[in-house]
Amino acid sequence: MREILGRRRRLLSQRSDGRPELLSAALTFATEWQWPVLPGAAADPAGRSRCGCPDPDCTVPGAHPFDPGLLAATTDARMVHWWWANRPTAPIILATGGNAPCAVSLPALPAAQALAALDRVGMRLGPVVSSPTRWAILVKPYSMEQLGELLYAKDFVPGSLRFHGSGGYIALPPSETGQGAIGWERAPLPGSASPWVPDVEAVVDAMVEALTRTGVSAPEL
């Protein structure tokens, strides 16, 4: 059952013509799941591999806050409506931490191999967000102190693991960014309740073990 759900890259909401509806997805995150969101910078219309922000060397084109800034993230339906009415193609950015999930991400190829290894040992995971370059596993909110203690206790932590905690962000489906489409590698189960997510300790323990045991090379990306 997990395998079937994991391969279902369904969008949270679609219009009748099959195209993703960003506003509906943003409202689901904000009002039903109480995840604070805001519109991303979006890709540069003149070249989708470039960002619409002023930084010509932006490493996450379109997939980050710019105007408004991250502190504007909200669960207010009226604000979400206003943002996407004015910027209907803007990526959806989740402000991680607080009452919202945090995330652990790593490059796409080692992430796929690590998730396959976790499936083989029966590790339960919640939603996993995918992009062409990185996948992000959603986890319960954690503090920097908690994360620091967790990492300090490890003999080895792959440098390609990134941690999106309080003050961080990730792009959510069905966004389109300069790096490509954002989707669900493991989709949330249907329903109005906020999706279940695992503890960060369980995910980091399992990911480090899987990456080490399988000899997966996870480059710094």
Side-chain angles (χ1 to χ4, degrees):
M1 183 66 172
R2 181 187 292 112
E3 183 176 350
I4 294 172
L5 292 173
R7 292 178 179 175
R8 244 180 40 205
R9 302 179 185 221
R10 65 181 295 274
L11 301 175
L12 286 174
S13 178
Q14 291 186 326
R15 292 196 295 250
S16 59
D17 60 5
R19 290 183 296 163
E21 178 56 80
L22 285 161
L23 173 59
S24 293
L27 286 170
T28 295
F29 300 138
T31 63
E32 295 184 19
W33 297 357
Q34 292 298 293
W35 293 1
V37 298
L38 74 163
D44 186 344
R48 291 201 58 82
S49 63
R50 300 195 301 270
C51 189
C53 76
D55 182 1
D57 300 316
C58 181
T59 58
V60 284
H64 67 90
F66 171 60
D67 182 17
L70 184 62
L71 293 179
T74 185
T75 59
D76 182 77
R78 292 171 299 177
M79 194 71 244
V80 172
H81 267 290
W82 188 86
W83 276 332
W84 271 274
N86 287 277
R87 299 167 59 180
T89 62
I92 303 170
I93 304 298
L94 167 68
T96 54
N99 294 324
C102 294
V104 178
S105 72
L106 69 164
L109 178 58
Q113 294 170 313
L115 260 62
L118 299 185
D119 283 343
R120 288 193 292 270
V121 299
M123 171 74 185
R124 183 187 180 192
L125 294 174
V128 177
V129 177
S130 65
S131 78
T133 57
R134 293 187 74 85
W135 292 6
I137 301 170
L138 300 188
V139 298
K140 291 179 181 177
Y142 57 78
S143 66
M144 292 306 296
E145 292 78 13
Q146 181 184 5
L147 179 63
E149 291 177 1
L150 173 62
L151 299 182
Y152 182 76
K154 296 290 181 190
D155 293 329
F156 168 75
V157 176
S160 57
L161 283 178
R162 293 180 186 168
F163 300 91
H164 310 260
S166 182
Y169 58 87
I170 61 170
L172 292 176
S175 301
E176 289 281 346
T177 73
Q179 295 175 325
I182 307 297
W184 294 114
E185 179 59 30
R186 302 289 171 92
L189 294 174
S192 60
S194 181
W196 177 89
V197 293
D199 291 325
V200 66
E201 293 93 340
V203 168
V204 172
D205 287 347
M207 293 299 283
V208 170
E209 181 181 353
L211 291 170
T212 303
R213 184 176 65 250
T214 57
V216 172
S217 174
E220 301 277 353
L221 291 176

